[in-house]
Amino acid sequence: MASSTAGGVQHPLLRFVDDAEFWVDPAAGVVQVRSASRLGRKDLGVNRDRIETIRARWRAGG
């Protein structure tokens, strides 16, 4: 059975809140991740950097 969780992540300096969502599918052995800005069109790569940091920490075991 797949499950998901979502929440807001606040930029430490600019105080903008971005959405982050994680969808866990144990049957497929994957975790799908989405991070998007709530306001505006550009985030200067902040959301991609956030997801890549999460991915690196996951692979490192913590």
Side-chain angles (χ1 to χ4, degrees):
M1 182 169 142
S3 64
S4 70
T5 187
V9 180
Q10 189 173 50
H11 187 282
L13 298 175
L14 302 177
R15 311 297 247 177
F16 293 123
V17 177
D18 297 329
D19 290 321
E21 183 175 5
F22 303 87
W23 180 267
V24 180
D25 187 347
V30 298
V31 177
Q32 297 181 28
V33 181
R34 182 186 76 83
S35 183
S37 298
R38 287 186 183 177
L39 300 173
R41 295 185 192 186
K42 297 184 182 183
D43 65 3
L44 305 174
V46 172
N47 285 306
R48 181 176 182 91
D49 290 345
R50 178 180 298 119
I51 297 306
E52 293 303 326
T53 298
I54 292 168
R55 182 191 325 256
R57 288 182 182 173
W58 180 272
R59 286 184 177 164

